[in-house]
Amino acid sequence: MLFLYLFDQSTNNNYRLSQERKQWSLCDFEIGRALGKGNFGQVYLAREKQSGFVVALKVLYKAELAKSKVERQLRREVEIQGNLRHPNILRLYGYFHDESRVFLILELAANGELYKELQAQGQFTEDVAARYIAQMTNALLYLHSKRVIHRDIKPENLLLGLKGELKIGDFGWSVRTGVTDRRSTLCGTLDYLPPEIVEGRRHTEKVDLWSLGILLYEMLCGKPPFEDENSYETTYRRIISVDLRIPNHVSREASDLIRKLLVYKSGERLPLRRIIQHPFITKYVPQGRRTSSR
Ligand code: AMP
């Protein structure tokens, strides 16, 4: 039975999770309040008893995973995320399971979802957006250097750490380059998908550049550029014709960066290293502090 235990989040993680490679079980954790609900279960605040280390414990129900046929996807997600180490990528410390559930031991993102913050504020100021985009760019440089394509960048998959730093928190659609069929299934939310995926063509890590452009637009304008609430078809057509309309309040530098990322031909999108040097980023993000928080 879960022992419900509420504790002070603010005093957390001056500790290290003990024996990172050990075989975990539920008995190793005190379980606190629910942090949120996902598609296949819930996420709880939890503390490892031995070290006092505070984590987020994601509980997934095996029956739900089987019903949706996502067991292989979860295995791939765990394998990929478990091997990544970057300040802007949510750590997956380990996992364990019992008869009916799988538990993922995740880094706690103390400030919750970026999506909620964007909803609360409507849109971000350009300096805030620039810092988030710089952090995303650094995380993607790291991911691509590890030959991982994320493929599902959107505010719902981004979490915020204790100091407001951005953390990519969901690797459900990520793949390793060269491992899978590059014509693989349509994935992610239509609003964030690049032309090559919606048209079912081969795709590479350049899909993440397109999604970064959509993310920047949504941060500054409050909604993704090709969204049509009534028609999936319209969104599809607007994506493949790159029917981009940028509102007047968006600065010249930000518009330029958006236009250089939302390019139909994937090979012509601005590479990650050039994003970091783009005037929209350099205007707000001091040299050498690319992964810092707000
Ligand atoms: P998910 O199943 O990943 O969609 O998670 C469901 C909800 O739990 C999210 O929307 C977040 O609000 C919360 N959550 C998930 N992972 C974490 C985490 N590592 N730290 C804090 N909150 C989280």
Side-chain angles (χ1 to χ4, degrees), residues 35-44 55-58 60 77 90-91 106-113 116 156-157 159-160 169-170:
L35 291 168
K37 191 168 161 31
N39 290 336
F40 304 105
Q42 287 215 302
V43 183
Y44 295 93
V55 295
L57 198 64
K58 190 188 257 195
L60 304 159
E77 179 177 355
L90 198 79
R91 275 287 300 272
L106 291 162
E107 175 184 356
L108 174 67
N111 277 303
E113 289 173 75
K116 284 198 184 134
E156 293 87 331
N157 288 339
L159 295 167
L160 297 170
D170 190 313

PDB file of all heavy atoms in Angstrom, residues 35-44 55-58 60 77 90-91 106-113 116 156-157 159-160 169-170, ligand 1:
ATOM      1  N   LEU A  35       1.294  14.932  -9.009  1.00  0.00           N
ATOM      2  CA  LEU A  35       1.778  16.098  -9.754  1.00  0.00           C
ATOM      3  C   LEU A  35       0.974  16.301 -11.029  1.00  0.00           C
ATOM      4  O   LEU A  35       0.909  17.395 -11.573  1.00  0.00           O
ATOM      5  CB  LEU A  35       3.254  15.903 -10.131  1.00  0.00           C
ATOM      6  CG  LEU A  35       4.256  15.920  -8.981  1.00  0.00           C
ATOM      7  CD1 LEU A  35       5.618  15.417  -9.438  1.00  0.00           C
ATOM      8  CD2 LEU A  35       4.389  17.331  -8.419  1.00  0.00           C
ATOM      9  N   GLY A  36       0.388  15.227 -11.521  1.00  0.00           N
ATOM     10  CA  GLY A  36      -0.379  15.346 -12.753  1.00  0.00           C
ATOM     11  C   GLY A  36      -0.834  13.988 -13.242  1.00  0.00           C
ATOM     12  O   GLY A  36      -0.413  12.952 -12.731  1.00  0.00           O
ATOM     13  N   LYS A  37      -1.714  14.050 -14.253  1.00  0.00           N
ATOM     14  CA  LYS A  37      -2.256  12.812 -14.798  1.00  0.00           C
ATOM     15  C   LYS A  37      -1.904  12.739 -16.274  1.00  0.00           C
ATOM     16  O   LYS A  37      -2.044  13.731 -16.997  1.00  0.00           O
ATOM     17  CB  LYS A  37      -3.779  12.833 -14.614  1.00  0.00           C
ATOM     18  CG  LYS A  37      -4.434  11.525 -14.891  1.00  0.00           C
ATOM     19  CD  LYS A  37      -5.873  11.537 -14.405  1.00  0.00           C
ATOM     20  CE  LYS A  37      -6.696  10.436 -15.051  1.00  0.00           C
ATOM     21  NZ  LYS A  37      -5.998   9.232 -15.412  1.00  0.00           N
ATOM     22  N   GLY A  38      -1.403  11.575 -16.696  1.00  0.00           N
ATOM     23  CA  GLY A  38      -1.071  11.406 -18.111  1.00  0.00           C
ATOM     24  C   GLY A  38      -2.025  10.416 -18.759  1.00  0.00           C
ATOM     25  O   GLY A  38      -3.042  10.035 -18.170  1.00  0.00           O
ATOM     26  N   ASN A  39      -1.692   9.978 -19.970  1.00  0.00           N
ATOM     27  CA  ASN A  39      -2.566   9.064 -20.712  1.00  0.00           C
ATOM     28  C   ASN A  39      -2.655   7.679 -20.088  1.00  0.00           C
ATOM     29  O   ASN A  39      -3.676   7.019 -20.167  1.00  0.00           O
ATOM     30  CB  ASN A  39      -2.058   8.902 -22.143  1.00  0.00           C
ATOM     31  CG  ASN A  39      -2.265  10.167 -22.941  1.00  0.00           C
ATOM     32  OD1 ASN A  39      -3.138  10.964 -22.595  1.00  0.00           O
ATOM     33  ND2 ASN A  39      -1.473  10.357 -23.974  1.00  0.00           N
ATOM     34  N   PHE A  40      -1.568   7.232 -19.460  1.00  0.00           N
ATOM     35  CA  PHE A  40      -1.531   5.837 -19.005  1.00  0.00           C
ATOM     36  C   PHE A  40      -1.409   5.687 -17.498  1.00  0.00           C
ATOM     37  O   PHE A  40      -1.203   4.586 -17.002  1.00  0.00           O
ATOM     38  CB  PHE A  40      -0.364   5.110 -19.696  1.00  0.00           C
ATOM     39  CG  PHE A  40      -0.448   5.197 -21.190  1.00  0.00           C
ATOM     40  CD1 PHE A  40       0.391   6.039 -21.892  1.00  0.00           C
ATOM     41  CD2 PHE A  40      -1.396   4.470 -21.889  1.00  0.00           C
ATOM     42  CE1 PHE A  40       0.293   6.153 -23.271  1.00  0.00           C
ATOM     43  CE2 PHE A  40      -1.503   4.567 -23.263  1.00  0.00           C
ATOM     44  CZ  PHE A  40      -0.660   5.411 -23.958  1.00  0.00           C
ATOM     45  N   GLY A  41      -1.504   6.785 -16.764  1.00  0.00           N
ATOM     46  CA  GLY A  41      -1.389   6.697 -15.315  1.00  0.00           C
ATOM     47  C   GLY A  41      -1.131   8.066 -14.714  1.00  0.00           C
ATOM     48  O   GLY A  41      -1.457   9.083 -15.321  1.00  0.00           O
ATOM     49  N   GLN A  42      -0.518   8.073 -13.523  1.00  0.00           N
ATOM     50  CA  GLN A  42      -0.336   9.335 -12.816  1.00  0.00           C
ATOM     51  C   GLN A  42       1.119   9.573 -12.465  1.00  0.00           C
ATOM     52  O   GLN A  42       1.920   8.630 -12.427  1.00  0.00           O
ATOM     53  CB  GLN A  42      -1.141   9.313 -11.533  1.00  0.00           C
ATOM     54  CG  GLN A  42      -2.631   9.448 -11.813  1.00  0.00           C
ATOM     55  CD  GLN A  42      -3.347  10.233 -10.754  1.00  0.00           C
ATOM     56  OE1 GLN A  42      -3.315   9.861  -9.606  1.00  0.00           O
ATOM     57  NE2 GLN A  42      -3.983  11.320 -11.131  1.00  0.00           N
ATOM     58  N   VAL A  43       1.430  10.828 -12.169  1.00  0.00           N
ATOM     59  CA  VAL A  43       2.779  11.177 -11.750  1.00  0.00           C
ATOM     60  C   VAL A  43       2.698  11.712 -10.310  1.00  0.00           C
ATOM     61  O   VAL A  43       1.846  12.554 -10.016  1.00  0.00           O
ATOM     62  CB  VAL A  43       3.395  12.242 -12.684  1.00  0.00           C
ATOM     63  CG1 VAL A  43       4.831  12.551 -12.281  1.00  0.00           C
ATOM     64  CG2 VAL A  43       3.349  11.776 -14.138  1.00  0.00           C
ATOM     65  N   TYR A  44       3.555  11.193  -9.429  1.00  0.00           N
ATOM     66  CA  TYR A  44       3.546  11.594  -8.013  1.00  0.00           C
ATOM     67  C   TYR A  44       4.890  12.174  -7.611  1.00  0.00           C
ATOM     68  O   TYR A  44       5.942  11.747  -8.101  1.00  0.00           O
ATOM     69  CB  TYR A  44       3.281  10.376  -7.109  1.00  0.00           C
ATOM     70  CG  TYR A  44       1.920   9.765  -7.298  1.00  0.00           C
ATOM     71  CD1 TYR A  44       1.747   8.711  -8.202  1.00  0.00           C
ATOM     72  CD2 TYR A  44       0.819  10.232  -6.598  1.00  0.00           C
ATOM     73  CE1 TYR A  44       0.499   8.139  -8.400  1.00  0.00           C
ATOM     74  CE2 TYR A  44      -0.441   9.666  -6.788  1.00  0.00           C
ATOM     75  CZ  TYR A  44      -0.588   8.623  -7.691  1.00  0.00           C
ATOM     76  OH  TYR A  44      -1.831   8.075  -7.884  1.00  0.00           O
ATOM     77  N   VAL A  55      12.037  13.015  -6.231  1.00  0.00           N
ATOM     78  CA  VAL A  55      11.873  12.724  -7.664  1.00  0.00           C
ATOM     79  C   VAL A  55      10.400  12.820  -8.049  1.00  0.00           C
ATOM     80  O   VAL A  55       9.538  13.062  -7.192  1.00  0.00           O
ATOM     81  CB  VAL A  55      12.364  11.285  -7.995  1.00  0.00           C
ATOM     82  CG1 VAL A  55      13.858  11.132  -7.760  1.00  0.00           C
ATOM     83  CG2 VAL A  55      11.582  10.233  -7.210  1.00  0.00           C
ATOM     84  N   ALA A  56      10.133  12.665  -9.332  1.00  0.00           N
ATOM     85  CA  ALA A  56       8.757  12.483  -9.811  1.00  0.00           C
ATOM     86  C   ALA A  56       8.636  11.011 -10.195  1.00  0.00           C
ATOM     87  O   ALA A  56       9.475  10.500 -10.945  1.00  0.00           O
ATOM     88  CB  ALA A  56       8.499  13.375 -11.016  1.00  0.00           C
ATOM     89  N   LEU A  57       7.655  10.337  -9.645  1.00  0.00           N
ATOM     90  CA  LEU A  57       7.471   8.915  -9.939  1.00  0.00           C
ATOM     91  C   LEU A  57       6.263   8.776 -10.867  1.00  0.00           C
ATOM     92  O   LEU A  57       5.141   9.114 -10.491  1.00  0.00           O
ATOM     93  CB  LEU A  57       7.250   8.144  -8.637  1.00  0.00           C
ATOM     94  CG  LEU A  57       7.455   6.638  -8.703  1.00  0.00           C
ATOM     95  CD1 LEU A  57       8.910   6.288  -9.034  1.00  0.00           C
ATOM     96  CD2 LEU A  57       7.063   5.997  -7.376  1.00  0.00           C
ATOM     97  N   LYS A  58       6.540   8.312 -12.083  1.00  0.00           N
ATOM     98  CA  LYS A  58       5.455   8.158 -13.062  1.00  0.00           C
ATOM     99  C   LYS A  58       4.974   6.719 -13.016  1.00  0.00           C
ATOM    100  O   LYS A  58       5.762   5.795 -13.168  1.00  0.00           O
ATOM    101  CB  LYS A  58       5.949   8.526 -14.455  1.00  0.00           C
ATOM    102  CG  LYS A  58       4.836   8.620 -15.482  1.00  0.00           C
ATOM    103  CD  LYS A  58       5.390   8.787 -16.883  1.00  0.00           C
ATOM    104  CE  LYS A  58       5.287  10.175 -17.371  1.00  0.00           C
ATOM    105  NZ  LYS A  58       5.491  10.304 -18.826  1.00  0.00           N
ATOM    106  N   LEU A  60       2.623   3.887 -14.662  1.00  0.00           N
ATOM    107  CA  LEU A  60       1.915   3.550 -15.906  1.00  0.00           C
ATOM    108  C   LEU A  60       1.271   2.180 -15.726  1.00  0.00           C
ATOM    109  O   LEU A  60       1.920   1.247 -15.231  1.00  0.00           O
ATOM    110  CB  LEU A  60       2.910   3.500 -17.069  1.00  0.00           C
ATOM    111  CG  LEU A  60       3.738   4.768 -17.296  1.00  0.00           C
ATOM    112  CD1 LEU A  60       4.997   4.447 -18.090  1.00  0.00           C
ATOM    113  CD2 LEU A  60       2.918   5.816 -18.009  1.00  0.00           C
ATOM    114  N   GLU A  77      11.525   4.672 -25.415  1.00  0.00           N
ATOM    115  CA  GLU A  77      11.580   5.936 -24.675  1.00  0.00           C
ATOM    116  C   GLU A  77      12.523   5.806 -23.474  1.00  0.00           C
ATOM    117  O   GLU A  77      13.380   6.662 -23.228  1.00  0.00           O
ATOM    118  CB  GLU A  77      10.155   6.278 -24.217  1.00  0.00           C
ATOM    119  CG  GLU A  77      10.028   7.537 -23.418  1.00  0.00           C
ATOM    120  CD  GLU A  77       8.553   7.841 -23.076  1.00  0.00           C
ATOM    121  OE1 GLU A  77       7.647   7.125 -23.552  1.00  0.00           O
ATOM    122  OE2 GLU A  77       8.337   8.798 -22.312  1.00  0.00           O
ATOM    123  N   LEU A  90      15.071  16.305 -19.222  1.00  0.00           N
ATOM    124  CA  LEU A  90      14.652  15.670 -17.971  1.00  0.00           C
ATOM    125  C   LEU A  90      15.348  14.321 -17.797  1.00  0.00           C
ATOM    126  O   LEU A  90      15.306  13.485 -18.706  1.00  0.00           O
ATOM    127  CB  LEU A  90      13.135  15.471 -18.006  1.00  0.00           C
ATOM    128  CG  LEU A  90      12.476  15.222 -16.656  1.00  0.00           C
ATOM    129  CD1 LEU A  90      12.311  16.538 -15.892  1.00  0.00           C
ATOM    130  CD2 LEU A  90      11.115  14.560 -16.840  1.00  0.00           C
ATOM    131  N   ARG A  91      15.980  14.141 -16.649  1.00  0.00           N
ATOM    132  CA  ARG A  91      16.679  12.875 -16.404  1.00  0.00           C
ATOM    133  C   ARG A  91      15.683  11.751 -16.107  1.00  0.00           C
ATOM    134  O   ARG A  91      14.681  11.956 -15.410  1.00  0.00           O
ATOM    135  CB  ARG A  91      17.594  13.005 -15.169  1.00  0.00           C
ATOM    136  CG  ARG A  91      18.955  13.565 -15.429  1.00  0.00           C
ATOM    137  CD  ARG A  91      19.895  12.610 -16.154  1.00  0.00           C
ATOM    138  NE  ARG A  91      20.172  11.365 -15.471  1.00  0.00           N
ATOM    139  CZ  ARG A  91      21.134  11.165 -14.592  1.00  0.00           C
ATOM    140  NH1 ARG A  91      21.938  12.154 -14.261  1.00  0.00           N
ATOM    141  NH2 ARG A  91      21.326   9.980 -14.043  1.00  0.00           N
ATOM    142  N   LEU A 106      11.777   9.780 -12.349  1.00  0.00           N
ATOM    143  CA  LEU A 106      12.146  10.934 -13.167  1.00  0.00           C
ATOM    144  C   LEU A 106      12.647  12.098 -12.322  1.00  0.00           C
ATOM    145  O   LEU A 106      12.230  12.255 -11.161  1.00  0.00           O
ATOM    146  CB  LEU A 106      10.912  11.421 -13.944  1.00  0.00           C
ATOM    147  CG  LEU A 106      10.385  10.502 -15.040  1.00  0.00           C
ATOM    148  CD1 LEU A 106       8.954  10.880 -15.401  1.00  0.00           C
ATOM    149  CD2 LEU A 106      11.287  10.582 -16.271  1.00  0.00           C
ATOM    150  N   GLU A 107      13.493  12.901 -12.913  1.00  0.00           N
ATOM    151  CA  GLU A 107      13.885  14.166 -12.297  1.00  0.00           C
ATOM    152  C   GLU A 107      12.624  14.992 -12.050  1.00  0.00           C
ATOM    153  O   GLU A 107      11.735  15.032 -12.903  1.00  0.00           O
ATOM    154  CB  GLU A 107      14.818  14.900 -13.284  1.00  0.00           C
ATOM    155  CG  GLU A 107      15.215  16.284 -12.860  1.00  0.00           C
ATOM    156  CD  GLU A 107      16.070  16.982 -13.936  1.00  0.00           C
ATOM    157  OE1 GLU A 107      16.414  16.352 -14.964  1.00  0.00           O
ATOM    158  OE2 GLU A 107      16.389  18.149 -13.722  1.00  0.00           O
ATOM    159  N   LEU A 108      12.558  15.642 -10.895  1.00  0.00           N
ATOM    160  CA  LEU A 108      11.392  16.488 -10.610  1.00  0.00           C
ATOM    161  C   LEU A 108      11.523  17.815 -11.361  1.00  0.00           C
ATOM    162  O   LEU A 108      12.548  18.481 -11.265  1.00  0.00           O
ATOM    163  CB  LEU A 108      11.314  16.766  -9.098  1.00  0.00           C
ATOM    164  CG  LEU A 108      10.223  17.741  -8.684  1.00  0.00           C
ATOM    165  CD1 LEU A 108       8.836  17.158  -8.910  1.00  0.00           C
ATOM    166  CD2 LEU A 108      10.399  18.152  -7.225  1.00  0.00           C
ATOM    167  N   ALA A 109      10.484  18.167 -12.100  1.00  0.00           N
ATOM    168  CA  ALA A 109      10.440  19.488 -12.736  1.00  0.00           C
ATOM    169  C   ALA A 109       9.551  20.343 -11.842  1.00  0.00           C
ATOM    170  O   ALA A 109       8.323  20.332 -11.959  1.00  0.00           O
ATOM    171  CB  ALA A 109       9.876  19.368 -14.151  1.00  0.00           C
ATOM    172  N   ALA A 110      10.191  21.076 -10.933  1.00  0.00           N
ATOM    173  CA  ALA A 110       9.458  21.712  -9.829  1.00  0.00           C
ATOM    174  C   ALA A 110       8.474  22.783 -10.291  1.00  0.00           C
ATOM    175  O   ALA A 110       7.510  23.085  -9.593  1.00  0.00           O
ATOM    176  CB  ALA A 110      10.461  22.300  -8.840  1.00  0.00           C
ATOM    177  N   ASN A 111       8.710  23.357 -11.480  1.00  0.00           N
ATOM    178  CA  ASN A 111       7.790  24.410 -11.939  1.00  0.00           C
ATOM    179  C   ASN A 111       6.798  23.948 -12.997  1.00  0.00           C
ATOM    180  O   ASN A 111       6.207  24.779 -13.700  1.00  0.00           O
ATOM    181  CB  ASN A 111       8.590  25.624 -12.414  1.00  0.00           C
ATOM    182  CG  ASN A 111       8.988  26.495 -11.233  1.00  0.00           C
ATOM    183  OD1 ASN A 111       8.134  26.948 -10.467  1.00  0.00           O
ATOM    184  ND2 ASN A 111      10.272  26.686 -11.046  1.00  0.00           N
ATOM    185  N   GLY A 112       6.629  22.639 -13.119  1.00  0.00           N
ATOM    186  CA  GLY A 112       5.546  22.097 -13.942  1.00  0.00           C
ATOM    187  C   GLY A 112       5.714  22.285 -15.434  1.00  0.00           C
ATOM    188  O   GLY A 112       6.829  22.287 -15.956  1.00  0.00           O
ATOM    189  N   GLU A 113       4.580  22.466 -16.100  1.00  0.00           N
ATOM    190  CA  GLU A 113       4.578  22.452 -17.566  1.00  0.00           C
ATOM    191  C   GLU A 113       4.721  23.832 -18.183  1.00  0.00           C
ATOM    192  O   GLU A 113       4.079  24.779 -17.727  1.00  0.00           O
ATOM    193  CB  GLU A 113       3.246  21.894 -18.058  1.00  0.00           C
ATOM    194  CG  GLU A 113       3.049  20.435 -17.838  1.00  0.00           C
ATOM    195  CD  GLU A 113       1.631  20.047 -18.204  1.00  0.00           C
ATOM    196  OE1 GLU A 113       1.322  19.974 -19.391  1.00  0.00           O
ATOM    197  OE2 GLU A 113       0.833  19.837 -17.282  1.00  0.00           O
ATOM    198  N   LYS A 116       1.324  25.206 -19.438  1.00  0.00           N
ATOM    199  CA  LYS A 116       0.433  25.907 -18.492  1.00  0.00           C
ATOM    200  C   LYS A 116       0.864  27.353 -18.323  1.00  0.00           C
ATOM    201  O   LYS A 116       0.040  28.248 -18.231  1.00  0.00           O
ATOM    202  CB  LYS A 116       0.438  25.185 -17.139  1.00  0.00           C
ATOM    203  CG  LYS A 116      -0.382  23.925 -17.184  1.00  0.00           C
ATOM    204  CD  LYS A 116      -0.751  23.422 -15.807  1.00  0.00           C
ATOM    205  CE  LYS A 116      -1.486  22.088 -15.954  1.00  0.00           C
ATOM    206  NZ  LYS A 116      -1.011  21.082 -15.026  1.00  0.00           N
ATOM    207  N   GLU A 156       3.475  21.106 -24.589  1.00  0.00           N
ATOM    208  CA  GLU A 156       2.977  20.066 -23.677  1.00  0.00           C
ATOM    209  C   GLU A 156       4.076  19.106 -23.235  1.00  0.00           C
ATOM    210  O   GLU A 156       3.949  18.432 -22.222  1.00  0.00           O
ATOM    211  CB  GLU A 156       1.859  19.234 -24.344  1.00  0.00           C
ATOM    212  CG  GLU A 156       0.576  19.995 -24.615  1.00  0.00           C
ATOM    213  CD  GLU A 156       0.595  20.714 -25.964  1.00  0.00           C
ATOM    214  OE1 GLU A 156       1.691  21.108 -26.449  1.00  0.00           O
ATOM    215  OE2 GLU A 156      -0.501  20.895 -26.513  1.00  0.00           O
ATOM    216  N   ASN A 157       5.137  19.012 -24.024  1.00  0.00           N
ATOM    217  CA  ASN A 157       6.218  18.068 -23.695  1.00  0.00           C
ATOM    218  C   ASN A 157       7.405  18.748 -23.029  1.00  0.00           C
ATOM    219  O   ASN A 157       8.449  18.119 -22.843  1.00  0.00           O
ATOM    220  CB  ASN A 157       6.697  17.357 -24.969  1.00  0.00           C
ATOM    221  CG  ASN A 157       5.670  16.357 -25.458  1.00  0.00           C
ATOM    222  OD1 ASN A 157       4.826  15.925 -24.682  1.00  0.00           O
ATOM    223  ND2 ASN A 157       5.734  16.011 -26.726  1.00  0.00           N
ATOM    224  N   LEU A 159       8.928  20.810 -19.729  1.00  0.00           N
ATOM    225  CA  LEU A 159       8.707  21.067 -18.299  1.00  0.00           C
ATOM    226  C   LEU A 159       9.681  22.140 -17.832  1.00  0.00           C
ATOM    227  O   LEU A 159      10.624  22.487 -18.552  1.00  0.00           O
ATOM    228  CB  LEU A 159       8.902  19.766 -17.515  1.00  0.00           C
ATOM    229  CG  LEU A 159       7.878  18.661 -17.820  1.00  0.00           C
ATOM    230  CD1 LEU A 159       8.332  17.320 -17.256  1.00  0.00           C
ATOM    231  CD2 LEU A 159       6.493  19.009 -17.290  1.00  0.00           C
ATOM    232  N   LEU A 160       9.445  22.638 -16.618  1.00  0.00           N
ATOM    233  CA  LEU A 160      10.286  23.711 -16.083  1.00  0.00           C
ATOM    234  C   LEU A 160      10.900  23.298 -14.760  1.00  0.00           C
ATOM    235  O   LEU A 160      10.196  22.819 -13.858  1.00  0.00           O
ATOM    236  CB  LEU A 160       9.439  24.978 -15.905  1.00  0.00           C
ATOM    237  CG  LEU A 160       8.852  25.552 -17.209  1.00  0.00           C
ATOM    238  CD1 LEU A 160       7.839  26.649 -16.915  1.00  0.00           C
ATOM    239  CD2 LEU A 160       9.971  26.095 -18.113  1.00  0.00           C
ATOM    240  N   GLY A 169      10.799  16.831 -21.692  1.00  0.00           N
ATOM    241  CA  GLY A 169      10.344  15.841 -20.726  1.00  0.00           C
ATOM    242  C   GLY A 169       9.632  14.632 -21.285  1.00  0.00           C
ATOM    243  O   GLY A 169       9.109  13.829 -20.531  1.00  0.00           O
ATOM    244  N   ASP A 170       9.578  14.489 -22.585  1.00  0.00           N
ATOM    245  CA  ASP A 170       8.836  13.355 -23.141  1.00  0.00           C
ATOM    246  C   ASP A 170       9.547  12.867 -24.388  1.00  0.00           C
ATOM    247  O   ASP A 170       9.738  13.627 -25.336  1.00  0.00           O
ATOM    248  CB  ASP A 170       7.413  13.807 -23.478  1.00  0.00           C
ATOM    249  CG  ASP A 170       6.512  12.633 -23.818  1.00  0.00           C
ATOM    250  OD1 ASP A 170       6.935  11.772 -24.615  1.00  0.00           O
ATOM    251  OD2 ASP A 170       5.386  12.581 -23.301  1.00  0.00           O
TER     252      ASP A 170
HETATM  253  P1  AMP B   1       2.685  12.790 -18.512  1.00  0.00           P
HETATM  254  O1  AMP B   1       2.119  11.452 -18.241  1.00  0.00           O
HETATM  255  O2  AMP B   1       4.151  12.772 -18.790  1.00  0.00           O
HETATM  256  O3  AMP B   1       1.895  13.544 -19.550  1.00  0.00           O
HETATM  257  O4  AMP B   1       2.562  13.620 -17.153  1.00  0.00           O
HETATM  258  C1  AMP B   1       1.322  14.049 -16.643  1.00  0.00           C
HETATM  259  C2  AMP B   1       1.513  15.331 -15.868  1.00  0.00           C
HETATM  260  O5  AMP B   1       2.327  15.107 -14.712  1.00  0.00           O
HETATM  261  C3  AMP B   1       2.226  16.412 -16.650  1.00  0.00           C
HETATM  262  O6  AMP B   1       1.328  17.146 -17.380  1.00  0.00           O
HETATM  263  C4  AMP B   1       2.919  17.219 -15.565  1.00  0.00           C
HETATM  264  O7  AMP B   1       2.022  18.188 -15.047  1.00  0.00           O
HETATM  265  C5  AMP B   1       3.203  16.207 -14.496  1.00  0.00           C
HETATM  266  N1  AMP B   1       4.580  15.721 -14.592  1.00  0.00           N
HETATM  267  C6  AMP B   1       5.053  14.728 -15.396  1.00  0.00           C
HETATM  268  N2  AMP B   1       6.359  14.526 -15.211  1.00  0.00           N
HETATM  269  C7  AMP B   1       6.754  15.408 -14.261  1.00  0.00           C
HETATM  270  C8  AMP B   1       8.012  15.707 -13.631  1.00  0.00           C
HETATM  271  N3  AMP B   1       9.099  15.042 -13.965  1.00  0.00           N
HETATM  272  N4  AMP B   1       8.052  16.681 -12.700  1.00  0.00           N
HETATM  273  C9  AMP B   1       6.927  17.352 -12.378  1.00  0.00           C
HETATM  274  N5  AMP B   1       5.719  17.122 -12.928  1.00  0.00           N
HETATM  275  C10 AMP B   1       5.617  16.175 -13.861  1.00  0.00           C
END
